[in-house]
Amino acid sequence: MDHQPVTAAELFDAVGQDYEEAFGRPPAVDEGVRLVLDRVPPHAKILDIGSGTGRPVAEDLAAAGHDVLGVDVSAAMVEIARGQVPRARFVHADIREWESQDASWDAVCAFFPFLQMTRDEVVAVLAKIARWLTPGGVLALVTVPMDVEDLVVPFLGHTVRLTSFATPDLINRVEQAGLTVLDTRSTAFSPDREGQPDEEHLLVLAQA
Ligand SMILES: C[S@@+](CC[C@H](N)C(=O)[O-])C[C@H]1O[C@@H](n2cnc3c(N)ncnc32)[C@H](O)[C@@H]1O
């Protein structure tokens, strides 16, 4: 166990493929992908923030014929995703710094990229997402809802600082970014890894 808290880039560079093995296909992620697929036009432009290994999210979206771009702060994750999902594109970038054109994405997926950002950084990224979506475009966000800031926790053999929002607070932040929350769903999830605790997953579907 590494006891020094690490950044998201350091964490996921070290964890790599092991993330997919331990977390696989959580029901909230599956549901988020399904809700996005139900709402986008054919050949949609879909941005996947924190695209990880590219599976299952970018892979499923690209297999449905959409133009998918994954953005991830971990160089190792980007390399794995490029190898596993050649039908999608992936860039190595920090979403806090990355920019895109206004009204240029039919959908944005953000499945667990926010847990190592400060609350102000999450709010700033939500504002960018609201700007990047086409009118009527959708955001599917999945996170672990908790009222915590800088909580030091173990994660797959490493130590990380976790920041998140309680469910009502997150919903308010999404609405304050200018999006309309259409649906929220909460599920319990057990990672396939001894010692990794069960967690709540919150899916938020919102529209520009
Ligand atoms: C918990 S993993 C989830 C991967 C994938 N979304 C999934 O659900 O299978 C979170 C991913 O977000 C990425 N991430 C964390 N902070 C980020 C940031 N500031 N910019 C871009 N990616 C980030 C991590 O590198 C990691 O690959």
Side-chain angles (χ1 to χ4, degrees), residues 8 12 19 29 50-52 55 71-74 77 93-96 111-113 117:
F12 287 97
Y19 178 78
V29 168
S51 42
R55 284 184 180 152
V71 178
D72 202 290
V73 74
S74 157
M77 289 305 225
D94 188 327
I95 202 64
R96 294 170 292 191
F111 299 150
F112 309 107
M117 294 185 201

Side-chain angles (χ1 to χ4, degrees), residues 36-37 39-49 57-58 61-62 64-71 87-89 91 98-110 129 131-140 208:
V36 165
L37 289 175
R39 284 170 187 274
V40 290
H43 312 295
K45 280 191 67 190
I46 304 180
L47 180 66
D48 182 15
I49 297 175
V57 180
L61 297 170
H66 301 297
D67 177 8
V68 182
L69 178 68
V71 178
R87 292 168 80 162
R89 293 172 296 132
V91 293
W98 192 78
E99 259 307 337
S100 189
Q101 277 188 346
D102 291 2
S104 59
W105 297 95
D106 298 300
V108 173
C109 293
I129 293 171
R131 194 159 47 70
W132 294 339
L133 282 169
T134 54
V138 288
L139 164 67

